[in-house]
Amino acid sequence: MIIAVDGPAASGKGTLARHLAQHYGLGYLDSGALYRAVARDVLATGGDPNDEKAAERIADRLDPASLDDESLRQHGVSEAASIVARFPSVRAVLLEQQRKFAARPQGAVLDGRDIGTVVCPDADIKFFVVASDKERARRRHLELVESGTELEYEAVLSDIRKRDRRDRERSAAPLKAATDAHLLDTTNLDIEAAFMAAVDLIDAAVDRAGRTC
Ligand code: CDP
């Protein structure tokens, strides 16, 4: 079974996807970590995230072992990630890695921006997770403060809006809901409630397909 979870920044898609993977015994890939790792490595080598060739070279040599690193969550890396994510050549390299992950025999949950539309258009079930931008900024601000980053809430809100706009308006695999995605608005849902709503939809889809997980 393949589950696609897409949505804008800090919508709760990562937490939901991780919980679903655990619940159904599937592999989990945070595709944003790939774009973040490219951005982090471009910045670390003194490069410019707007330089497509440099970003492509780094994407090509990405070390999978470096994807599980706190440095990926740094605020500056989020902004740079959405800059390198505009480039079709970078997306092409990372697309291959994501498709390989999705093809593992035990199935997978992937979260990102274009999982349901581009990476896994034939996923068994798709979610598009949204929340108001103020609620998303509140959550991201809390995460940043807890990890020791001092940043004003207003700055987080404005950066999230800017990044969403860039992700939606780019021509390569823009952020958008697949036509067959279930919309999940988590503005007023906690993690448990969002998880239960998703599990109900998945179990109903599995029943309809006459399969067992
Ligand atoms: O955690 P958050 O929602 O803030 O971001 P993320 O999922 O880690 O993604 C960081 C950035 O990577 C996004 O703003 C997108 O520009 C890019 N991205 C993408 O273009 N396609 C994906 N499938 C995943 C992320």
Side-chain angles (χ1 to χ4, degrees):
M1 173 161 73
I2 294 182
I3 304 175
V5 185
D6 290 303
S11 53
K13 63 193 180 309
T15 310
L16 174 66
R18 248 191 320 276
H19 279 68
L20 291 175
Q22 202 173 18
H23 181 75
Y24 291 104
L26 304 168
Y28 167 60
L29 181 68
D30 166 9
S31 69
L34 297 170
Y35 293 92
R36 286 174 178 271
V38 172
R40 176 202 54 198
D41 293 355
V42 168
L43 296 174
T45 51
D48 176 359
N50 287 293
D51 177 349
E52 178 166 8
K53 280 280 158 234
E56 184 190 354
R57 254 194 319 276
I58 285 186
D60 252 330
R61 294 193 211 121
L62 206 58
D63 173 11
S66 75
L67 293 179
D68 198 14
D69 194 291
E70 275 300 299
S71 62
L72 294 185
R73 305 304 308 171
Q74 281 171 7
H75 189 62
V77 172
S78 311
E79 164 81 3
S82 77
I83 295 176
V84 301
R86 290 174 304 149
F87 298 132
S89 62
V90 171
R91 303 200 71 85
V93 173
L94 300 183
L95 178 63
E96 229 175 280
Q97 304 185 13
Q98 294 167 77
R99 291 229 170 112
K100 208 178 284 173
F101 188 93
R104 39 174 62 195
Q106 77 265 37
V109 184
L110 292 89
D111 82 66
R113 303 289 185 286
D114 61 339
I115 307 298
T117 50
V118 175
V119 180
C120 302
D122 298 326
D124 297 280
I125 186 143
K126 302 177 185 177
F127 294 100
F128 196 76
V129 185
V130 297
S132 73
D133 51 4
K134 291 188 175 146
E135 174 58 17
R136 292 186 290 121
R138 189 192 67 76
R139 292 175 191 164
R140 183 52 49 90
H141 181 243
L142 196 65
E143 266 171 39
L144 287 166
V145 169
E146 280 173 355
S147 70
T149 305
E150 288 304 327
L151 206 64
E152 295 293 324
Y153 163 83
E154 288 300 336
V156 177
L157 177 60
S158 125
D159 286 357
I160 277 187
R161 284 178 173 159
K162 190 161 117 200
R163 189 148 60 94
D164 283 351
R165 201 174 319 119
R166 193 183 286 128
D167 288 346
R168 282 202 180 95
E169 291 177 359
R170 69 181 178 222
S171 49
L175 164 68
K176 69 169 181 222
T179 49
D180 52 350
H182 296 276
L183 190 71
L184 210 56
D185 187 338
T186 70
T187 308
N188 298 306
L189 291 186
D190 64 13
I191 291 165
E192 187 58 23
F195 170 71
M196 295 307 291
V199 165
D200 283 349
L201 288 162
I202 295 169
D203 290 349
V206 167
D207 270 355
R208 270 199 307 277
R211 285 186 284 136
T212 52
C213 292

